[in-house]
Amino acid sequence: MKISELSQQTKVSIRMIRYYEEQGLLKPTRTHSGYRNFKKDDIELINKIRLFKEIGFTIEDIRPILHCQLTQISQQEICDQLKHKFSCQIEQIDQMIANLNQAKITLRQYL
């Protein structure tokens, strides 16, 4: 599929898709005329990237996550590091949820 189709299906701009490619997160093939050719799997990949970005991961954090998921062999050390990173991120999310719940309780007092 062309980059424009991928952009439409994922609601991610063409510019951002190109950036993900530059950062090594996407690896499209090229046609004889040089156009990028993406696979259907790239839709899921972009959705994963968006999810990780939404929960606070940087591109530098996401790269090894995707690499670990894609290779899943002889990557135990990287994957263990990711598990630690995930645990830390979960703690941060839990703290954000607690803060939001406290804010909601405070606001309800004024209703």
Side-chain angles (χ1 to χ4, degrees), residues 10 12 14 32 35 41-42 44-46 50 54 56 58-60 62 65 69 78-79 82-83 96 102-103 111:
T10 60
V12 172
I14 291 173
H32 293 297
Y35 289 101
D41 292 346
D42 291 324
E44 183 180 334
L45 197 55
I46 286 179
R50 282 187 14 200
E54 287 173 8
T58 65
I59 294 295
E60 291 76 26
I62 295 170
I65 294 169
Q69 286 184 334
I78 292 173
C79 292
L82 292 176
K83 287 177 186 177
M96 285 190 271
Q102 186 59 47
L111 292 178

Side-chain angles (χ1 to χ4, degrees), residues 13-52:
S13 70
I14 291 173
R15 184 175 181 190
M16 187 59 70
I17 292 171
R18 287 183 184 136
Y19 175 72
Y20 292 159
E21 180 186 3
E22 288 171 13
Q23 295 301 309
L25 302 178
L26 293 172
K27 297 180 180 163
T29 57
R30 296 281 182 157
T31 64
H32 293 297
S33 55
Y35 289 101
R36 291 170 179 86
N37 189 25
F38 293 92
K39 300 175 286 190
K40 288 198 180 262
D41 292 346
D42 291 324
I43 295 170
E44 183 180 334
L45 197 55
I46 286 179
N47 289 333
K48 285 182 183 180
I49 293 167
R50 282 187 14 200
L51 172 68
F52 285 123

Side-chain angles (χ1 to χ4, degrees), residues 64-106:
I65 294 169
L66 296 180
H67 180 72
C68 182
Q69 286 184 334
L70 295 175
T71 57
Q72 291 186 352
I73 52 172
S74 71
Q75 296 294 326
Q76 190 62 38
E77 186 176 316
I78 292 173
C79 292
D80 287 344
Q81 292 172 0
L82 292 176
K83 287 177 186 177
H84 176 70
K85 179 95 174 141
F86 287 169
S87 293
C88 292
Q89 195 69 26
I90 288 169
E91 289 175 18
Q92 288 179 344
I93 291 169
D94 286 342
Q95 186 60 50
M96 285 190 271
I97 290 169
N99 291 344
L100 288 171
N101 281 329
Q102 186 59 47
K104 184 169 72 171
I105 289 168
T106 302

